[in-house]
Structures are given as C-alpha cells and as structure tokens.
Amino acid sequence: MTQQGAVLQGYNNELVKCIEDLCVQKEELNKQIQQAEEEKNKLQHEIQVLSEQLECVCENLAQKVASRNELDKILAETEAAYMKILDSSRTLLNVLKKEVGSLKHMPELKTN
C-alpha cells in the first residue's frame, strides 16, 4: 500500500505542477488580452479622431469647391460681358470712322 501511496503522491505532484503551469499560461494570456484590448481601444480612438479630421477636411473642401465654382461662374459672366463691351467698342469705333470719313467729303463751313 505504501507503494501505491507513493505513486498516488507522484501523480498528485505532477497534477499540481500541470495546474500551476496552466495558471501561469492563463496569466500570460490575460496579460496579452489586456494589451490587445488597450491597443484596440487606442486604435479606435485614433480612428475616431481621424474620422473627425476627415469630416472637417471634407467639409472645408466642399466649401472651397463651391467657392471656386462660384468664381468660375462670375469669371465666365464677366468675360462674356467684357467681350460684349469690346464688340460694342469696335462697332462704335467703326461707326465713328465712317462718320468722320463722311465729314471729310462735306464742304467746309465758312465763318464770317
């Protein structure tokens, strides 16, 4: 019976050692899980910050594009009006030249 007790004590010692090893592994795994959760939380926070920054940049970009489009419209209208002014000026100049040309053919008025 003593021999069986010694064998049982050996099994018990081995079982306790295995349980202790599993506890160490569990503790190490708990540390790794905690680190991974901290990293996940950090990354989620960074994503939130970057998402907010991206939203601000997108809004700013949209405003700038709208302003540029408005400027393009104003420039196009201004250029069109300026071209009309140039065309009217050319027409006026041509009319004036014809009038001056026809005045040259008129007899001079005599003054007393």
Side-chain angles (χ1 to χ4, degrees):
M1 197 66 157
T2 309
Q3 187 179 8
Q4 290 174 340
V7 170
L8 184 59
Q9 184 63 36
Y11 290 158
N12 187 47
N13 289 340
E14 195 173 330
L15 183 59
V16 168
K17 174 75 169 114
C18 286
I19 291 172
E20 287 174 351
D21 288 345
L22 287 174
C23 286
V24 168
Q25 287 179 5
K26 178 185 171 188
E27 189 61 36
E28 180 59 35
L29 193 54
N30 280 337
K31 287 178 186 177
Q32 292 174 3
I33 289 170
Q34 184 178 2
Q35 289 173 345
E37 286 176 345
E38 289 172 359
E39 181 69 14
K40 180 186 105 177
N41 291 336
K42 177 185 168 193
L43 290 172
Q44 284 178 328
H45 177 71
E46 290 176 6
I47 288 171
Q48 181 181 358
V49 168
L50 290 173
S51 293
E52 291 171 2
Q53 289 176 349
L54 178 61
E55 185 178 338
C56 288
V57 167
C58 287
E59 288 175 9
N60 187 282
L61 178 62
Q63 290 172 353
K64 287 181 180 184
V65 167
S67 294
R68 183 191 61 195
N69 292 343
E70 186 64 25
L71 285 175
D72 284 344
K73 179 182 170 187
I74 291 168
L75 279 170
E77 290 172 355
T78 302
E79 288 174 352
Y82 184 69
M83 293 305 291
K84 287 180 182 180
I85 290 170
L86 287 179
D87 189 46
S88 295
S89 295
R90 183 181 58 234
T91 302
L92 178 60
L93 180 61
N94 289 337
V95 168
L96 185 59
K97 284 180 180 180
K98 285 181 185 177
E99 291 296 322
V100 168
S102 68
L103 285 177
K104 289 181 180 177
H105 294 65
M106 292 182 90
E108 291 186 31
L109 295 176
K110 295 183 181 179
T111 56
N112 290 346

